[in-house]
Amino acid sequence: MGVGPRALLYRLRCLLKRREVDVWYDPAYRLPFSGIEFTGYDTRRADFAAWWLRESKAIATPWWRSPRRASYAELARVHEAGLLESLARPETLAAIFGVDPSDVPVDEVMRTVRLATGATIQAAGEALRRGKPQLNLLGGFHHAGPGSAGGNCPVNDIAVAVAAVRADGFTGKVAVLDLDAHPPDGVAACLESDPSHWIGSLSGSDWGPLPGVDEILLPEGTGNARYLDALKALLGRMPPAGLLFVIAGGDVLRGDKLGRLDLTLGGVRLRNLTVAAHLEGVPSVWLPGGGYSKNAWKTLAGAGIALSTGSLDPIPDDYDPLSQRFAGIAAGFSRDVLTDTGELTEEDLSEALGMRPSRQKLLLGFYTASGMEYALQRFGILDQLRRLGYDHFRVEFARQHPGERIRVYGESEDKEHVLVELVLERKRVLGHPVLYVHWLSLMHPRAQFSLLRPRLPGQDVPGLGLARETGEMLALMALRLGLTGVVYRPAHYHTAYAGRHHFSFVDATRQGRFEALIRDLGPVPLLDATRAVDGGRVKLDGKPYAWEPDEMVLWLREHPEERGEVALERERAHFVLEPDPPPRADQ
Ligand SMILES: [Zn+2]
């Protein structure tokens, strides 16, 4: 997990070439939703971009800025009272972000939104005062109008920032260059009465004519070359401006759930470099806009790189922001904080002689409950649970057969709930000592299942949205205990699918069959796919396929792969999904 030569070279190049750019960020930029990942929106995007920009040294320490929350007076310069009032209701915010109302802690969501908007206001002021480019890692809420909100945009941070600089006496032209894959309907509505503005947009969605917007509409699958040609044409038509907002949308990226423009990561970086070079010297505020794919964070980090170092170097493929972050935190733990290294006492001797029962339960012979709670705090997990509405946490261990059970409890409205339950064991798999995960359950009892958040096979309660963090913690625990891997048995297709980037089936043939299943179910949404497998509607060689809950492993040290056998079975196996049973006539 160390830093490889490529990463070192990358840092060196960054240090040599970087220019000053202010970056606005707060850890509370992570929206406190547990079930939004179904929509393709990764709430960790700003964190990932910030971690990379820090670690790569692309952005120097003094350039990091912490925002303040926008005030309601500032929001009210643009938005109608009815809209601002409605944002105090979970139902309104749920509709805007496409989540269930039970998944909306209103105050925490509004804290995130107001911090991002405050940053756009402050960034606009700084850009005008000091001329250097500003990047805000959350914002560009371009769909919010004066009295309407939607599409992940509760308020319009750009319009609120424009109103703020106008109130401070700025009379120059404001330009908004919207490079998100969707049109700036909200920006156009909000700026309609602004005396001096221009809005340009390159979009891939036809939402009808947008008065006041110089819009270039691009077809599905546009790709890098045609996109960059259109961008140059739009930049050529742009009038001189005194303040510029760039919505550097990440949803133009290939594989995005909502955008269809099919740019590569290199193409997006080139887009940002082209804009930065063309508009050099114009005070500018860069904003992320949308982005609904696994690599959306890289387009945002890439905007920071384009502004600071002007580099086209890609972020290394093997860089996983969460693994790197967690490994760095874990490396800082002293051994004593996690375990009990106390001196041998008379009581210990009595225990050792079997004269009294063990007084201290150590998980896996190592961790104390308080050490585990401390680790959960340091990894940011307790903070996120607090934002989801829980407090007064408690960690408890118990023996079980097989394995040892960990429970994390938290209180909500004076009632204690189990939030995390894990059953772990040290075991040997293929002769190697591994951390065996018999059971893992992340539970968010405050949230409810709904049409937007359907129950997955095997779930009793909605999840916490912290599966990736939990996986990283388990890998670090295994490393600390000197084990060589983490193993679990996915009881359903979707639990295997969730781990597919890091885990593979221990048995090569089984892995091949799994890869064939992913290939053949490719276009089917995950929920439908896992229900189809569960319901016996997927056929292998003409017979209903029963899910095989075999062991999957994440090897933490080099391990020989049997890709030949995997490929053979993958080519051999062909799955067919039967259509849904037709509804009965009387329904
Ligand atoms: Zn968009």
Side-chain angles (χ1 to χ4, degrees), residues 378-511:
R378 286 294 307 276
F379 286 123
I381 291 176
L382 297 188
D383 276 339
Q384 187 66 8
L385 292 176
R386 223 169 261 127
R387 300 194 73 200
L388 296 181
Y390 302 98
D391 212 333
H392 301 114
F393 302 107
R394 181 166 72 86
V395 177
E396 186 191 87
F397 299 153
R399 295 219 177 273
Q400 178 162 318
H401 292 286
E404 298 170 46
R405 191 188 72 200
I406 312 167
R407 276 185 178 166
V408 179
Y409 294 87
E411 278 179 25
S412 161
E413 287 156 19
D414 294 329
K415 193 166 176 267
E416 193 174 60
H417 303 273
V418 180
L419 305 178
V420 179
E421 187 171 82
L422 266 162
V423 178
L424 304 175
E425 189 185 11
R426 291 177 196 246
K427 220 175 148 175
R428 282 191 174 267
V429 165
L430 297 182
H432 301 282
V434 299
L435 180 62
Y436 203 98
V437 183
H438 287 283
W439 173 256
L440 164 60
S441 184
L442 304 172
M443 292 164 280
H444 187 9
R446 288 178 63 94
Q448 289 158 16
F449 292 115
S450 69
L451 276 178
L452 280 168
R453 190 178 197 182
R455 184 192 301 268
L456 293 163
Q459 271 189 328
D460 296 323
V461 177
L464 291 163
L466 290 168
R468 289 191 59 192
E469 284 79 0
T470 312
E472 293 297 339
M473 276 192 74
L474 289 169
L476 289 166
M477 281 174 78
L479 280 171
R480 189 169 294 273
L481 295 169
L483 305 172
T484 56
V486 180
V487 174
Y488 77 114
R489 272 178 195 274
H492 305 277
Y493 173 65
H494 67 271
T495 39
Y497 188 88
R500 73 196 181 288
H501 292 304
H502 299 291
F503 288 79
S504 49
F505 281 95
V506 173
D507 180 83
T509 311
R510 174 71 185 91
Q511 177 65 18

Side-chain angles (χ1 to χ4, degrees), residues 127-295:
L128 287 174
R129 263 188 299 282
R130 302 170 57 207
K132 67 171 170 168
Q134 310 283 317
L135 171 64
N136 183 5
L137 297 184
L138 187 66
F141 305 134
H142 60 162
H143 298 314
S148 61
N152 297 328
C153 304
V155 295
N156 197 308
D157 60 320
I158 296 172
V160 170
V162 171
V165 297
R166 293 286 187 228
D168 282 346
F170 175 70
T171 54
K173 187 177 280 296
V174 170
V176 180
L177 184 62
D178 190 329
L179 304 177
D180 184 275
H182 305 97
D185 52 344
V187 179
C190 291
L191 293 188
E192 204 181 276
S193 57
D194 183 87
S196 181
H197 72 275
W198 173 87
I199 304 169
S201 164
L202 273 191
S203 98
S205 301
D206 188 356
W207 291 3
L210 260 186
V213 179
D214 185 345
E215 189 179 25
I216 298 181
L217 192 61
L218 296 165
E220 191 172 327
T222 288
N224 294 346
R226 276 199 290 170
Y227 185 94
L228 290 167
D229 284 346
L231 174 65
K232 282 172 195 154
L234 187 64
L235 287 173
R237 300 207 294 256
M238 186 176 159
L243 176 63
L244 166 72
F245 293 88
V246 179
I247 307 178
D251 49 7
V252 295
L253 194 63
R254 177 173 298 166
D256 192 90
K257 269 201 168 176
L258 302 179
R260 300 273 174 271
L261 289 171
D262 208 29
L263 268 66
T264 63
L265 276 170
V268 181
R269 184 78 64 82
L270 201 52
R271 172 194 79 178
N272 294 337
L273 281 167
T274 305
V275 174
H278 187 88
L279 297 163
E280 176 134 30
V282 183
S284 63
V285 179
W286 290 61
L287 301 159
Y292 313 94
S293 64
K294 182 173 161 269
N295 280 330

Side-chain angles (χ1 to χ4, degrees), residues 8 61 169 219 256 268 275 297 316 509 512 514 540 562 581:
L8 278 175
T61 313
D256 192 90
V268 181
V275 174
W297 74 270
T509 311
F514 178 53
L540 173 62
E562 299 153 282

Side-chain angles (χ1 to χ4, degrees), residues 27-45:
Y29 272 12
R30 178 173 182 170
L31 279 162
F33 297 128
S34 62
I36 199 172
E37 276 169 71
F38 287 108
T39 65
Y41 189 117
D42 189 345
T43 54
R44 306 172 187 88
R45 181 178 62 169

